[in-house]
């Protein structure tokens, strides 16, 4: 049996969670993977994971210079900038498992994908098309991300939060421009007033963990609310949840909601969407990018793109500072009226929303169950460059 080594960040970043899922998939596929831990997210390294998960990672960890690496298949899990910056060890075969949120990628990344790795894996058709259109001619295979359907399920007990209403939109985002809070908050305020039996529950994270960094979240949100409306008592409640949660507590967070909303401007895969679907929540999400691979109108109300200008250049200063190669790349642009009408529709049609939640659970059971993903893994780990049709 082929020796498989997974390398990447041990962090609660999206790629860190993608890595944990991949290790579980490889094990379910009948392999015994080894793991090389890299600390590329210093502020998040090993934070936010349960002791059980950390003990598992330690039990399979090896050092980068372990002799077995030379005769193994190495799977790097991480961003494009991670793959560009981390030296590739001598190994039998090298695979990069990556996603990006933009419609295309920088030429320097395309060159790296063509020349550094034996082949490329990604999580959605959206990324495969974007890579190909950017000049990547290396083998590209699709492996959807894994969702723990036993952990994320509709029967968990919800967390307690004060002031929630009869119907609750819920979202799990970071403070980046791409997640669309600058669209969601004003849309919610305009659509719902204080007498509507509805609330918006925001779990918003920043680049650091813990309440000692709370102002990094609350200050920008308060500024946003102030710019939109100074009299905040006129609208339905917006409830802020800032505690860092390990994966085993996230289902109880999603259980507080009646509909998951994410006006994203681009997702490589969109794990919070898949997780909340597994918890039985209907979706109000953007009709674009990675989630289009596993969602449909039976479980989603889609937010349309702006017909006149469906994409926009990346202009997030913090993102461009971290990686100037985003300059010139594009993310999506949403129709604000479609977002507002979607919020109103989901609230006014709560029976239909519940039915869509049931369909959401069925969809991920059919397509993202670990048995399904592990079977795909065994198909694409084969050296054959043949495309795997999902």
């Amino acid at each position: 049996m082929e020796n498989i080594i997974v390398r990447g960040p041990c962090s609660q970043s999206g790629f860190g969670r993608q890595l944990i899922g991949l290790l579980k998939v490889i094990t379910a596929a009948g392999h015994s993977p080894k793991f090389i831990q890299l600390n590329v997210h210093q502020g998040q390294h090993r934070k936010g994971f349960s002791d059980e998960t950390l003990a598992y990672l330690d039990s399979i960890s090896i050092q980068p210079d372990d002799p077995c690496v030379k005769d193994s298949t190495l799977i790097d899990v991480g961003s494009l900038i991670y793959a560009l910056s981390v030296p590739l060890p001598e190994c039998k075969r090298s695979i990069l498992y990556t996603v990006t949120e933009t419609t295309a990628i920088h030429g320097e990344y395309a060159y790296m994908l063509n020349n550094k790795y034996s082949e490329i894996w990604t999580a959605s058709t959206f990324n495969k098309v974007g890579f190909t259109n950017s000049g990547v001619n290396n083998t590209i295979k699709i492996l959807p991300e894994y969702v723990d359907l036993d952990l994320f399920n509709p029967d968990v007990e919800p967390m307690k939060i004060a002031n929630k209403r009869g119907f609750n939109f819920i979202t799990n985002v970071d403070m980046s421009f791409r997640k669309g809070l600058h669209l969601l908050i004003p849309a919610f305020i305009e659509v719902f007033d204080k007498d509507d039996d509805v609330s918006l529950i925001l779990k918003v994270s920043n680049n650091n963990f813990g309440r000692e960094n709370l102002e990094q979240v609350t200050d920008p949100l308060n500024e946003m609310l102030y710019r939109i409306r100074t009299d905040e008592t006129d609208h339905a409640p917006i409830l802020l949840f800032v505690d860092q949660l390990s994966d085993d507590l996230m289902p109880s967070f999603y259980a507080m909601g009646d509909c998951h909303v994410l006006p994203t401007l681009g997702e490589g895969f969109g794990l919070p969407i898949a997780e909340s679907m597994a918890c039985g929540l209907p979706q109000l999400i953007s009709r674009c990018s990675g989630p289009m691979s596993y969602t449909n109108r039976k479980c989603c109300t889609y937010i349309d793109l702006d017909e006149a200008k469906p994409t926009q250049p990346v202009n997030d200063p913090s993102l461009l500072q971290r990686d100037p190669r985003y300059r010139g790349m594009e993310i999506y642009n949403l129709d604000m009226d479609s977002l507002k009408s979607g919020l109103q529709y989901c609230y006014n049609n709560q029976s239909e929303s519940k039915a869509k939640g049931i369909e959401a659970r069925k969809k991920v059971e059919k397509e993202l169950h670990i048995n399904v993903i592990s079977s795909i893994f065994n198909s694409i780990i084969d050296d054959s460059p043949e495309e795997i049709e999902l």
Side-chain angles (χ1 to χ4, degrees), residues 232-333:
E232 296 179 19
T233 61
D234 285 347
H235 60 75
I238 297 175
L239 310 175
L240 182 60
F241 192 97
V242 295
D243 289 329
Q244 175 62 29
L245 299 176
S246 57
D247 281 356
D248 57 331
L249 294 177
M250 281 305 302
S252 296
F253 168 77
Y254 290 127
M256 292 192 293
D258 299 286
C259 179
H260 178 256
V261 55
L262 185 61
T264 180
L265 308 184
E267 299 289 328
F269 183 76
L271 197 53
I273 294 173
E275 290 173 346
S276 58
M277 288 173 65
C279 291
L281 292 188
Q283 305 292 309
L284 174 58
I285 61 170
S286 309
R287 187 172 54 84
C288 66
S289 66
M292 298 304 294
S293 289
Y294 59 87
T295 64
N296 60 24
R297 294 190 182 276
K298 290 184 178 180
C299 59
C300 296
T301 300
Y302 286 122
I303 306 163
D304 291 329
L305 303 180
D306 186 309
E307 289 188 6
K309 189 182 178 184
T311 61
Q312 60 181 310
V314 173
N315 58 11
D316 184 341
S318 62
L319 187 60
L320 291 171
Q321 183 178 8
R322 187 163 69 247
D323 185 359
R325 297 171 192 84
Y326 275 106
R327 194 174 304 280
M329 299 299 100
E330 292 193 333
I331 51 178
Y332 289 95
N333 194 35

Side-chain angles (χ1 to χ4, degrees), residues 9-18 20 41 43-50 53 203 205-206 209 244-248 250 275:
C10 182
S11 74
Q12 274 285 358
S13 66
F15 284 109
R17 299 180 66 220
Q18 184 179 14
I20 300 295
H41 296 283
Q44 300 180 23
H45 188 56
R46 294 178 67 88
K47 294 183 179 181
F49 291 112
S50 66
T53 297
K203 181 184 178 297
S205 63
N206 56 74
F209 291 104
Q244 175 62 29
L245 299 176
S246 57
D247 281 356
D248 57 331
M250 281 305 302
E275 290 173 346

Side-chain angles (χ1 to χ4, degrees), residues 328-347:
M329 299 299 100
E330 292 193 333
I331 51 178
Y332 289 95
N333 194 35
L334 302 186
D335 184 324
M336 191 67 166
D337 288 337
S338 180
L339 171 56
K340 289 186 285 190
S341 63
L343 289 166
Q344 190 74 68
Y345 181 85
C346 294
Y347 175 64

